Amino acid sequence: MNTVVLPFDDAAIARAAELVRAGQPVAVPTETVYGLAADATNPQAVAAIYAAKGRPSFNPLIVHVSDLDLARTLADFPAPALRLAEAIWPGPLTIVAPLMPKSPIASLATAGLSTVAIRVPAHPAMQALLRAAGLPLAAPSANASGTISPTRAEHVLKSLGGRIPLVIDGGRTMVGLESTIVAIDDAGLRLLRPGQLSAEDLAALARVPFIASDSNRIEAPGQLASHYAPALPLRLSADSARDDEWLIGFGAIAGDRTLSDSGDLVEAAANLFDALHEADASGRSAIAVAAVPDNGLGVAINDRLRRAAAPR
Ligand code: TXA
Ligand code: MG
């Protein structure tokens, strides 16, 4: 793929919006770092982000929206979260909140979680793209997995050149560090990822206590689950269903529901979390999954399936 670099202007935004609406990821500056943005409501577009980054695992992504009103249609913000959003957005702050019922956000963007990380970015290029595309955009940093976050268009090109269609060049990003991520309700504010804004200052703005979290206890009850896994036991590399299993198929193995009957890994990634949720709710006593090849997006799919199959 030929990667085009366009300076930030109306024509570049119009082209980027066209690509995003067609399900492609594009690199665009935000005030923190360059993001690799794709339609958060289109599961195949979200899968394309992972394919371009070559990430070996699926993590929930940050969903970017143009304004708080739009954010409130996607997530259910408790009152202190709204106070904070009103004080800081647009800006380098991400808030994790429960997804609205029937939210259009693709399950791959939240990695199957019932919460979503949302932010309203301040950079004029990302703002213009959000408004031109008229969509929420999932956007991790625009760099290949395992490399440092890009603060200039040249960094993006060096890392993802040939793998994405477009980079919008808006010069150097101001903050240079990913957004501060918080989870917040009446009980207090928890810091999930440090950034430029300090958690103590944010808690004061939201008028709630700052809950310092001890990193050893992140997975303890009451803490935010950072990974979705099905409740039922899961068996890997199944050729057919045994006993009372719900079979998730791939390729020639049809199953009760397939990840991709044509063996397409982008389609399989796009379907993964919906298929796991459906299997979990099937009323059967266990889940089996057909083998998925361990290349390209299959690496991230298998990482998630192995974790789901591990004894808990
Ligand atoms: O500055 C930024 O935030 C950049 C620019 C491009 O906007 N974006 C960025 O996105 O860093 P991303 O998708 O790489 O951030 C993912 C982080 C991970 O640490 C992930 O665990 C956390 O957000 N996260 C996302 N959804 C979450 C959720 N529902 N619960 C807890 N953490 C979540
Ligand atoms: Mg990153």
Side-chain angles (χ1 to χ4, degrees):
M1 184 184 299
N2 179 34
T3 303
V4 176
V5 182
L6 296 176
F8 167 41
D9 62 15
D10 291 349
I13 293 299
R15 177 69 186 133
E18 196 173 273
L19 286 164
V20 159
R21 280 196 296 262
Q24 302 237 44
V26 302
V28 55
T30 80
E31 70 275 35
T32 58
V33 299
Y34 276 70
L36 185 60
D39 179 358
T41 68
N42 175 344
Q44 301 233 12
V46 179
I49 292 176
Y50 282 99
K53 282 180 69 89
R55 227 184 202 180
S57 60
F58 295 126
N59 300 312
L61 302 177
I62 294 173
V63 173
H64 299 65
V65 292
S66 53
D67 55 63
L68 177 57
D69 286 343
L70 187 50
R72 292 184 72 176
T73 68
L74 303 176
D76 188 11
F77 293 94
L82 285 177
R83 283 198 287 277
L84 194 55
E86 270 158 12
I88 304 284
W89 283 349
L93 170 71
T94 296
I95 298 177
V96 174
L99 268 173
M100 279 300 205
K102 305 229 167 71
S103 158
I105 300 300
S107 64
L108 187 59
T110 61
L113 294 173
S114 59
T115 53
V116 59
I118 297 200
R119 100 176 179 95
V120 176
H123 195 288
M126 184 56 141
Q127 268 291 336
L129 178 58
L130 287 164
R131 288 175 195 280
L135 292 165
L137 299 177
S141 55
N143 56 295
S145 178
T147 67
I148 58 166
S149 292
T151 54
R152 294 177 182 274
E154 303 88 86
H155 299 162
V156 179
L157 200 60
K158 209 182 278 173
S159 189
L160 296 179
R163 309 177 71 142
I164 58 174
L166 176 65
V167 182
I168 293 182
D169 186 351
R172 206 180 135 192
T173 64
M174 298 289 291
V175 178
L177 188 69
E178 275 98 338
S179 60
T180 304
I181 306 181
V182 300
I184 177 171
D185 57 24
D186 291 323
L189 175 143
R190 277 170 289 148
L191 181 65
L192 304 181
R193 182 175 75 184
Q196 186 192 47
L197 304 169
S198 102
E200 287 85 351
D201 291 352
L202 294 174
L205 279 172
R207 304 200 296 274
V208 294
F210 168 55
I211 306 171
S213 66
D214 154 359
S215 57
N216 297 324
R217 289 175 47 225
I218 287 283
E219 303 288 349
Q223 292 284 0
L224 213 68
S226 56
H227 291 292
Y228 162 77
L232 294 179
L234 185 143
R235 183 168 67 87
L236 299 172
S237 301
D239 295 320
S240 58
R242 292 179 194 157
D243 306 325
D244 195 32
E245 284 177 341
W246 172 274
L247 178 62
I248 299 175
F250 180 83
I253 297 170
D256 293 289
R257 175 205 175 131
T258 183
L259 292 175
S260 168
D261 56 11
S262 63
D264 179 321
L265 289 168
V266 173
E267 186 185 5
N271 284 327
L272 177 65
F273 291 100
D274 286 343
L276 289 172
H277 277 289
E278 187 182 358
D280 230 4
S282 64
R284 309 269 173 88
S285 56
I287 307 169
V289 188
V292 172
D294 212 27
N295 56 55
L297 277 172
V299 175
I301 294 171
N302 285 324
D303 168 75
R304 180 49 54 115
L305 290 175
R306 266 195 306 275
R307 288 201 237 180
R312 286 189 294 280

